Each structure stands twice: as structure tokens, then as C-alpha cells.
């Protein structure tokens, strides 16, 4: 496969290789694509969670909480 990058992206890729972080341009592009695909998975999860949350709101299945209470719930879940 051959890919032509615009000059600005080509320069960014070359700078990554020149920095020593990558052995060649192919590694830079592969790493960038892996990150992009992982980002897509996270975005889809967020969309699904948001849709479920809005459906709960529409059905009246929600709690009135303050910002502080919400943050405390997040902290508690993260610690668990």
C-alpha cells in the first residue's frame, strides 16, 4: 500500500522518526491508526452511555443530585 500525505503531515511523521521515538514512517502511521481506532471505540461507548442516560431521563428515571454529589459518586466508583 502506498499513501501520500499532505506536506504538513509528512513533516510531522518525519519529525517523529527523527526524534527517535519510531524506527520509520510506517511505525508512526501504524501507531496513529491504532490510536484513532481505539478512540473510535471509546467514542462509541460514550455515545451508547449517553443514549442510555437520555432514555432514562426521558422515562423520568433520574435522581436530582448536586454537582458535588455527582463528583463524589464518580470518586467512589473509581476507588472501587
Amino acid at each position: 500500500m502506498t499513501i501520500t500525505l499532505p506536506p504538513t503531515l509528512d513533516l510531522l511523521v518525519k519529525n517523529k522518526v527523527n526524534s527517535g521515538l519510531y524506527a520509520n514512517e510506517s511505525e508512526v502511521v501504524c501507531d496513529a491508526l491504532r490510536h484513532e481506532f481505539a478512540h473510535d471505540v471509546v467514542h462509541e461507548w460514550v455515545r451508547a452511555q449517553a443514549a442510555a442516560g437520555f432514555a432514562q431521563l426521558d422515562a423520568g428515571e433520574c435522581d436530582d443530585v448536586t454537582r458535588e454529589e455527582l463528583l463524589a459518586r464518580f470518586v467512589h466508583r473509581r476507588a472501587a
Side-chain angles (χ1 to χ4, degrees), residues 52-62:
F54 284 121
Q56 287 177 321
L57 285 172
D58 290 343
E61 303 169 0
C62 58

Side-chain angles (χ1 to χ4, degrees), residues 18-29:
N18 291 336
S19 74
L21 293 172
Y22 298 90
N24 55 50
E25 289 87 354
S26 182
E27 284 185 10
V28 177
V29 172

Side-chain angles (χ1 to χ4, degrees), residues 12-69:
L12 290 172
V13 169
K14 286 182 170 130
N15 286 342
K16 288 286 187 181
V17 174
N18 291 336
S19 74
L21 293 172
Y22 298 90
N24 55 50
E25 289 87 354
S26 182
E27 284 185 10
V28 177
V29 172
C30 287
D31 195 38
L33 287 172
R34 277 190 291 276
H35 280 89
E36 179 61 25
F37 294 139
H39 182 74
D40 288 347
V41 170
V42 170
H43 255 102
E44 187 52 43
W45 180 85
V46 169
R47 275 190 219 108
Q49 294 299 306
F54 284 121
Q56 287 177 321
L57 285 172
D58 290 343
E61 303 169 0
C62 58
D63 295 329
D64 288 331
V65 295
T66 66
R67 179 180 184 274
E68 290 75 21
E69 291 169 329

